[in-house]
Amino acid sequence: MRVAESAVAPRGSGGRDGILDSAIRLFDQRGYHGTSMRDIAAGAEITVASIYHHFRSKQEILQSIMVRALRAALALTRTAVVRANGSPADQLRAVMRAWVVFHTTHRMDAVVAATELRSLEPPGRDLVIALRDEQEALFRDVVARGVEEGVFATGYPLDATRGIISMGQSICIWWRADGPMTAEQLAVRYETLALAVVEAA
Amino acid sequence: MRVAESAVAPRGSGGRDGILDSAIRLFDQRGYHGTSMRDIAAGAEITVASIYHHFRSKQEILQSIMVRALRAALALTRTAVVRANGSPADQLRAVMRAWVVFHTTHRMDAVVAATELRSLEPPGRDLVIALRDEQEALFRDVVARGVEEGVFATGYPLDATRGIISMGQSICIWWRADGPMTAEQLAVRYETLALAVVEAA
């Protein structure tokens, strides 16, 4: 679990990670275009000049946030599938659980990743789209295996895959750590929903 | 179908609607904070002064876009449920179909509504949240009826409802009118997915 654990470990508040965390909070609240380098510096309690030791531009900060978020999600979900080591249903449960956990532990990152792709310029944009495609492909492979083995009855595996992905993503809009439900309880529910979507036997 | 039809009718290019359409295009591409009144005026081929005949501020334009989009979605989906006039499964099919049609015909409005709630200030924000709650309540009532009548077997009606709503919403991220699938074909698939999510008998 080394990759997955490091991906969700608490981040340091200084240097590069402190800048990214400040930027994520601000992008989540005001959006990329509503946030200035001065705001990001103030949030990280450093000077604007210090930011430029780590990043050439606000654009590079956005790219770093999105790439980091997508890589963390991919690491968590891929590890979950590899270790599920069982039936297609077990794999789907595992990948959905990891997806839900990611969207509760990285709520703000996920919001930024979902809403600011339009603000990203090439080549960062191409990289982010490639990572997003990899993420979809992982879910798609799990669903496809279940359909091929005859244990998922859905006639629309691609739409089912997208449905499952977007269900999990939408958690980051409303979920709160201090709310009535734990991430664990939520994961159990979403495992059930994912199996229902693919019409698991 | 009068309400539903007027909700999806093509909009005029002059005056108030022309301003809103220009703003929607720009907010979709660059976000609220990345768009100026000057940009909106240029997109609508009018002067900035002309915008102020119709709207007091960019904030009022955003509010108008979101309220218009949410009201149109509510009108379409409510009419669909009322006219389905049948079983819970028929109602769920009808409301999902309307939801898919809305997200293909109002793609940009839906993107703005999904991403710019954070940019909206009270009291506009409160109104938009109230309309969003109404929308969720409509889906929830349909699902709850099916569960009560024993034809939807899901143990998690609220999560199933949110899952169904977010599946439909995510269409606006990738759907293109010139793509390989018609809105009609997509609606058929999503009706099936929605019934699967609630574990319809």
Side-chain angles (χ1 to χ4, degrees):
Chain A
M1 285 290 283
R2 230 171 309 158
V3 174
E5 276 173 6
S6 80
V8 292
R11 298 154 190 156
S13 61
R16 202 181 148 84
D17 281 343
I19 295 164
L20 291 180
D21 288 343
S22 169
I24 288 170
R25 279 195 305 276
L26 290 159
F27 293 169
D28 174 43
Q29 284 161 26
R30 313 177 192 174
Y32 176 77
H33 289 290
T35 301
S36 69
M37 286 295 251
R38 189 174 296 272
D39 298 331
I40 297 169
E45 299 183 342
I46 56 173
T47 63
V48 172
S50 303
I51 294 186
Y52 287 105
H53 284 299
H54 298 278
F55 300 98
R56 267 167 304 179
S57 61
K58 194 172 70 160
Q59 183 61 214
E60 196 182 315
I61 293 175
L62 178 62
Q63 185 184 319
S64 299
I65 289 170
M66 295 186 77
V67 169
R68 187 174 71 165
L70 287 160
R71 286 228 159 109
L74 256 173
L76 271 173
T77 51
R78 189 184 51 235
T79 303
V81 171
V82 169
R83 288 172 183 257
N85 192 28
S87 67
D90 288 337
Q91 288 182 336
L92 184 57
R93 257 189 228 104
V95 73
M96 192 60 173
R97 165 171 299 268
W99 192 235
V100 169
V101 167
F102 176 80
H103 283 87
T104 57
T105 51
H106 291 68
R107 200 194 61 75
M108 286 188 295
D109 312 52
V111 169
V112 173
T115 57
E116 295 295 0
L117 184 60
R118 65 186 173 203
S119 305
L120 205 59
E121 296 157 14
R125 194 184 157 83
D126 303 331
L127 172 58
V128 163
I129 290 174
L131 289 169
R132 210 181 51 175
D133 289 349
E134 283 304 305
Q135 186 66 70
E136 185 175 309
L138 179 67
F139 278 93
R140 207 172 51 226
D141 281 354
V142 171
V143 173
R145 185 190 156 205
V147 170
E148 279 164 28
E149 296 190 6
V151 291
F152 297 166
T154 180
Y156 306 118
L158 178 57
D159 299 282
T161 300
R162 285 180 171 163
I164 287 169
I165 291 171
S166 60
M167 275 182 177
Q169 282 173 326
S170 70
I171 290 172
C172 67
I173 299 169
W174 59 267
W175 196 80
R176 295 292 175 270
D178 58 357
M181 218 183 324
T182 65
E184 187 60 27
Q185 291 170 316
L186 198 65
V188 171
R189 296 184 174 204
Y190 276 74
E191 285 176 20
T192 305
L193 291 181
L195 289 170
V197 172
V198 298
E199 304 178 31
Chain B
M1 284 291 282
R2 231 171 309 158
V3 175
E5 276 172 6
S6 80
V8 293
R11 297 157 191 155
S13 61
R16 203 181 148 84
D17 281 343
I19 295 164
L20 292 180
D21 289 344
S22 168
I24 288 170
R25 279 194 306 274
L26 290 160
F27 293 169
D28 174 43
Q29 285 161 26
R30 312 178 194 174
Y32 175 77
H33 288 290
T35 301
S36 69
M37 286 295 251
R38 190 174 295 272
D39 298 330
I40 297 169
E45 299 183 341
I46 58 174
T47 63
V48 172
S50 302
I51 294 186
Y52 287 105
H53 283 300
H54 298 279
F55 299 99
R56 268 166 304 179
S57 61
K58 194 171 72 159
Q59 183 62 213
E60 197 182 317
I61 293 176
L62 178 63
Q63 185 185 321
S64 298
I65 289 171
M66 294 187 76
V67 169
R68 187 175 71 165
L70 287 159
R71 286 228 160 108
L74 255 174
L76 271 171
T77 51
R78 190 184 50 235
T79 304
V81 171
V82 169
R83 289 173 182 257
N85 193 28
S87 68
D90 288 337
Q91 288 182 336
L92 184 57
R93 258 190 227 102
V95 73
M96 193 61 174
R97 164 171 299 269
W99 192 236
V100 169
V101 167
F102 176 80
H103 283 88
T104 56
T105 51
H106 291 69
R107 200 193 61 73
M108 287 188 294
D109 311 53
V111 170
V112 173
T115 57
E116 296 294 0
L117 184 60
R118 65 185 173 203
S119 305
L120 205 59
E121 297 157 12
R125 193 184 158 84
D126 304 330
L127 172 56
V128 163
I129 290 174
L131 289 169
R132 210 182 52 175
D133 289 348
E134 283 303 305
Q135 186 66 70
E136 184 174 310
L138 180 66
F139 277 93
R140 208 171 51 225
D141 281 354
V142 170
V143 172
R145 186 192 155 203
V147 170
E148 279 164 30
E149 296 190 6
V151 291
F152 297 165
T154 180
Y156 306 119
L158 178 57
D159 299 282
T161 300
R162 285 180 172 162
I164 288 168
I165 291 171
S166 60
M167 275 182 175
Q169 282 173 326
S170 70
I171 291 172
C172 66
I173 298 169
W174 58 268
W175 196 80
R176 295 293 173 269
D178 58 359
M181 217 184 325
T182 65
E184 187 60 28
Q185 290 170 317
L186 197 66
V188 171
R189 295 183 175 204
Y190 276 74
E191 285 176 20
T192 304
L193 291 181
L195 289 170
V197 173
V198 298
E199 304 178 31

